[in-house]
Amino acid sequence: MSLSLLVLFDFIGTVAFAISGAITGIQKKMDIFGVNILAIVTACGGGALRDIIMGSFPPQMFINPFYVLVAAIVANIVFGIMYFHKGIPQKFAGLYDRGLFVFDTLGLAAFMVDGVMLGANFGYEDDLFLLVFLGFITGVGGGVLRDVLSIQMPAIFVKHVYALPVIIGGILMVIMHEIMGTWNAAMISAFMLVLVMRWLARHFLWNLPKVNL
């Protein structure tokens, strides 16, 4: 059951982050090649960083490029829709922003689960800090690379407690596994917690403290 759930979370995260990357590339007026690269980096970059930390060379995206292909297909579908509709009409600007938030949040939650589970599958079930960190870097890594490549401040540092829900979700996931001895409930609960926290942060405009100069 855990394996099938993990495949589902992998697919959700890849599609969601590919859409997020493609939309960002289109917003930054990139051509179709740039949109594809940004979508693939957003969808697969966090997993590549995770693999490097785990000492898994080359990263899985190069050994089994299935999810790279999925990201590219999604990117071209998004590009085609936007190209033939000449971008986003002004009256749908708010819907566009909400859609980007939804896909970004789904990707964060799904890849957080994926990162924790990969560490557990590598035999590090008892190293709770490592599991949480792997969930964190898998969840936010692709988004950071997307923002850097599109020349904007990474959302992880400024936007709606972007990273905090991932960290808390990872902590919940490993604690639930320690208590219950099963990953299934822990995966679903942690995934839902990230979604809820991100929605609450957006709705109530929660942000971490910052110095306003």
Side-chain angles (χ1 to χ4, degrees):
M1 180 69 173
S2 292
L3 181 60
S4 60
L5 272 178
L6 188 57
V7 171
L8 175 62
F9 284 126
D10 264 345
F11 193 79
I12 290 173
T14 300
V15 171
F17 265 165
I19 294 172
S20 170
I23 290 175
T24 301
I26 292 167
Q27 187 182 35
K28 292 292 183 176
K29 302 188 183 304
M30 295 181 181
D31 61 20
I32 189 170
F33 180 77
V35 169
N36 272 270
I37 293 298
L38 205 62
I40 291 169
V41 167
T42 308
C44 303
L49 291 174
R50 174 204 63 209
D51 292 345
I52 291 169
I53 290 170
M54 293 294 294
S56 178
F57 298 105
Q60 191 63 30
M61 64 178 287
F62 299 109
I63 298 173
N64 178 12
F66 172 74
Y67 289 111
V68 175
L69 180 61
V70 169
I73 291 172
V74 170
N76 282 286
I77 291 173
V78 173
F79 185 89
I81 292 172
M82 300 282 277
Y83 181 83
F84 289 109
H85 286 80
K86 305 300 180 184
I88 296 291
Q90 188 61 37
K91 63 181 179 179
F92 294 133
L95 182 63
Y96 160 85
D97 181 61
R98 286 193 295 273
L100 185 59
F101 169 81
V102 167
F103 292 121
D104 211 26
T105 299
L106 284 171
L108 277 173
F111 279 152
M112 178 276 297
V113 170
D114 180 68
V116 173
M117 286 305 302
L118 182 125
N121 290 337
F122 262 67
Y124 294 102
E125 281 193 5
D126 296 326
D127 194 336
L128 304 188
F129 176 75
L130 176 62
L131 294 183
V132 173
F133 181 78
L134 290 174
F136 169 76
I137 200 66
T138 309
V140 307
V144 170
L145 294 173
R146 174 201 63 206
D147 294 342
V148 170
L149 289 175
S150 58
I151 318 176
Q152 59 188 18
M153 176 66 75
I156 183 178
F157 300 129
V158 296
K159 190 176 181 182
H160 300 318
V161 292
Y162 189 94
L164 195 60
V166 180
I167 296 172
I168 295 174
I171 292 171
L172 173 70
M173 188 169 163
V174 297
I175 288 176
M176 283 190 66
H177 173 258
E178 285 292 302
I179 294 173
M180 303 175 64
T182 177
W183 283 112
N184 292 335
M187 291 165 70
I188 295 171
S189 299
F191 177 81
M192 295 304 299
L193 178 65
V194 174
L195 298 187
V196 170
M197 288 188 67
R198 284 280 288 155
W199 181 83
L200 290 173
R202 179 182 172 89
H203 182 75
F204 293 107
L205 301 179
W206 292 344
N207 283 294
L208 296 176
K210 64 179 71 173
V211 177
N212 295 311
L213 299 178

